[in-house]
Amino acid sequence: MKNRLPLPTVKRLSLYLRAFEELDHRGITHISSKGLSEILEIPDTQIRKDLSFIGKTGRRGKGYPVRDLIQRIREILGLKSYIPVILVGVGNLGSALLASKLLKHRGFRIVGAFDVDVSKIGKKFCDVRIQDDSKIPEFVKEYGIKLAILTTPGEAAQHTAEILVSAGISGILNFTPENLSVPPYVKVHNVDFTIEMEFLNYLVNAEVLE
Amino acid sequence: MKNRLPLPTVKRLSLYLRAFEELDHRGITHISSKGLSEILEIPDTQIRKDLSFIGKTGRRGKGYPVRDLIQRIREILGLKSYIPVILVGVGNLGSALLASKLLKHRGFRIVGAFDVDVSKIGKKFCDVRIQDDSKIPEFVKEYGIKLAILTTPGEAAQHTAEILVSAGISGILNFTPENLSVPPYVKVHNVDFTIEMEFLNYLVNAEVLE
DNA sequence: CCCTGTGAACCTGTTCACAGCG
DNA sequence: CGCTGTGAACAGGTTCACAGGG
């Protein structure tokens, strides 16, 4: 796969996927780019361009076949019915993610949870037993885990990331405010709601004084 | 303010702010774009361009004055020592955000929490009393709240958003997977970790089969 | 005629090259 | 000479205009 998709397109494919699943659920078999545009508030021309990247899938005069595209997008995004993931740092946010059905609904299963707090270790939370960080390498290897969710406090983030890297993890979803240093073959994707909040605050203020 | 900043620049300013605060904390008064570049792994030329947007602030041969820039960026982003915010939907994620010190550390104070679950109403969580959704308009007006964090289940999102809009909220940080329909003068910023997870998954897979 | 697919034009943001101040 | 500041070149994505199939 030489021709990478534009990264914004990748994110939109996730949105399309969700919308298609919802439509399929409602028994709708085809939808036009115009129709989808109204649901998602994304320009129809953008939708057509995005979908054209993943192959000629639509039928002129009729729209896009919902079922087919669900399959196609899941394939492109590498989504399977079962993608094992571990979570490190079972604090407030970590617990919330463990309890969330949203990830599970997409095929991501948090199969292991890790923490350094001895008072948590051994307990079960949402059917997942909390283990000590030192168990990470063994667990990752045994279950062939590629992805990790990092929800430790910021101070522990870099150190924990290094454990993950040496355990063989290939992707880290980083919820800490730290800038992780990892080798280039490991992908880090940062999710930082403080920054999103500041961004929203800017949008609201910028609007006023324009 | 006619000339809006590039939005990616706005997000990076948040990162710079954090780094500057950390540097200030460590007693460092000046830093070059090169130095900051190494900390944040953002190209130095990008940093200079971004900082040039907010006014000529650096000193040639010396670097950027840390203290001054903290002030300047906070001003640009509209950050004050106290920005009141409400949170609607005190589930797992809502509770985690209420408990988090990250937002507070940036000046955002969750001063009100709302839910429709009668078993939660009246209880206090992290010093914030949980009230019924019907109290939102009054509360928002009384305290002049502009920003809301939306952490309800998806099904309730649109309806709740409408309550927020009619209460006079100007910005919504939307943690639900729903695409909210709001009037154009209300800003919605979506935070969706399922999409971020799918995005990471794509990055990891795309890397392999390149 | 409705709707997709796509090259071309456009736009926004990033990177480069280098001028110029301390 | 170190480091900022910035116009100019470039790259990546989006939007447009329209060709063409059902």
Side-chain angles (χ1 to χ4, degrees):
Chain A
M1 187 190 259
K2 183 73 271 296
N3 48 346
R4 280 253 310 271
L5 298 172
L7 297 183
T9 295
V10 174
K11 289 213 174 180
R12 283 191 300 268
L13 286 177
S14 281
L15 293 174
Y16 302 158
L17 176 57
R18 247 188 221 160
F20 284 136
E21 285 179 342
E22 166 69 15
L23 289 166
D24 183 46
H25 196 69
R26 279 167 33 205
I28 294 164
T29 63
H30 290 76
I31 185 154
S32 69
S33 55
K34 190 84 190 310
L36 191 56
S37 165
E38 275 154 24
I39 296 172
L40 295 175
E41 295 175 272
I42 291 173
D44 57 327
T45 138
Q46 178 77 79
I47 293 172
R48 289 204 297 283
K49 178 68 90 180
D50 286 338
L51 293 180
S52 82
F53 286 137
I54 66 170
K56 1 205 122 184
T57 44
R59 285 194 208 147
R60 304 178 198 231
K62 205 170 177 206
Y64 293 89
V66 171
R67 279 275 171 85
D68 292 4
L69 275 169
I70 291 173
Q71 287 314 311
R72 187 87 186 98
I73 295 176
R74 290 184 60 85
E75 190 185 303
I76 299 277
L77 295 181
L79 297 178
K80 312 187 181 61
S81 55
Y82 182 85
I83 302 174
V85 173
I86 60 168
L87 181 144
V88 195
V90 191
N92 289 305
L93 180 60
S95 308
L97 293 177
L98 269 170
S100 167
K101 272 143 284 167
L102 295 171
L103 285 173
K104 184 180 278 184
H105 193 252
R106 282 329 240 227
F108 296 102
R109 297 300 148 96
I110 301 177
V111 293
F114 300 86
D115 206 299
V116 288
D117 182 344
V118 287
S119 72
K120 289 173 187 161
I121 291 164
K123 293 190 178 153
K124 267 203 160 188
F125 193 88
C126 300
D127 284 336
V128 180
R129 197 164 52 86
I130 302 172
Q131 302 176 66
D132 187 86
D133 275 17
S134 62
K135 300 287 181 4
I136 292 175
E138 188 188 333
F139 193 92
V140 165
K141 273 149 205 158
E142 183 171 346
Y143 295 99
I145 316 265
K146 292 267 159 289
L147 303 176
I149 297 173
L150 186 62
T151 45
T152 61
E155 309 84 71
Q158 179 60 37
H159 173 244
T160 310
E162 284 160 17
I163 296 174
L164 291 171
V165 168
S166 67
I169 283 290
S170 335
I172 300 175
L173 195 63
N174 175 29
F175 282 88
T176 80
E178 299 299 309
N179 181 21
L180 304 179
S181 294
V182 298
Y185 56 83
V186 176
K187 301 297 167 199
V188 174
H189 188 53
N190 298 313
V191 179
D192 188 323
F193 30 78
T194 305
I195 286 186
E196 307 305 341
M197 193 79 216
E198 292 183 1
F199 186 76
L200 176 67
N201 187 59
Y202 174 83
L203 291 181
V204 167
N205 286 12
E207 185 67 11
V208 173
L209 38 82
E210 152 202 322
Chain B
M1 186 190 258
K2 186 71 273 291
N3 50 345
R4 282 253 311 270
L5 298 172
L7 297 182
T9 295
V10 174
K11 290 212 173 179
R12 284 191 299 269
L13 286 177
S14 281
L15 292 174
Y16 302 159
L17 176 57
R18 247 188 221 159
F20 285 137
E21 285 179 342
E22 166 68 17
L23 289 165
D24 183 47
H25 195 70
R26 280 168 30 206
I28 294 165
T29 62
H30 290 75
I31 185 154
S32 68
S33 54
K34 189 85 188 311
L36 191 56
S37 165
E38 277 155 21
I39 296 171
L40 295 175
E41 295 175 270
I42 290 172
D44 57 328
T45 138
Q46 177 78 80
I47 293 172
R48 290 204 296 283
K49 178 68 88 180
D50 286 338
L51 293 180
S52 81
F53 286 138
I54 67 170
K56 359 207 122 183
T57 44
R59 285 195 208 146
R60 303 177 198 231
K62 206 172 178 203
Y64 292 90
V66 171
R67 280 275 171 85
D68 292 3
L69 274 169
I70 290 173
Q71 288 312 311
R72 187 86 186 99
I73 295 175
R74 290 183 61 83
E75 191 184 303
I76 299 276
L77 295 180
L79 297 176
K80 313 190 180 58
S81 55
Y82 182 85
I83 302 174
V85 174
I86 60 167
L87 180 144
V88 194
V90 191
N92 288 306
L93 179 60
S95 307
L97 293 177
L98 268 170
S100 166
K101 274 144 278 167
L102 295 171
L103 285 173
K104 183 180 275 183
H105 193 251
R106 285 327 242 223
F108 296 102
R109 298 299 149 96
I110 300 176
V111 294
F114 300 86
D115 206 299
V116 288
D117 181 345
V118 287
S119 72
K120 289 174 187 162
I121 291 164
K123 291 191 178 154
K124 267 203 159 188
F125 193 88
C126 298
D127 284 335
V128 180
R129 196 164 54 86
I130 302 172
Q131 301 175 65
D132 187 85
D133 276 16
S134 62
K135 300 288 182 4
I136 293 175
E138 187 188 335
F139 193 92
V140 165
K141 272 149 205 159
E142 182 171 347
Y143 295 100
I145 316 265
K146 293 266 159 290
L147 304 177
I149 297 172
L150 185 62
T151 45
T152 61
E155 309 83 71
Q158 180 59 38
H159 174 244
T160 310
E162 283 161 18
I163 296 175
L164 291 171
V165 168
S166 68
I169 283 291
S170 336
I172 299 175
L173 195 62
N174 176 28
F175 282 88
T176 80
E178 299 298 309
N179 181 21
L180 304 179
S181 295
V182 299
Y185 56 85
V186 176
K187 302 296 167 200
V188 174
H189 187 53
N190 299 313
V191 180
D192 188 323
F193 30 79
T194 305
I195 287 185
E196 307 305 340
M197 193 78 216
E198 292 182 1
F199 186 77
L200 175 67
N201 187 60
Y202 174 84
L203 290 181
V204 166
N205 286 11
E207 184 68 11
V208 172
L209 39 84
E210 153 201 320

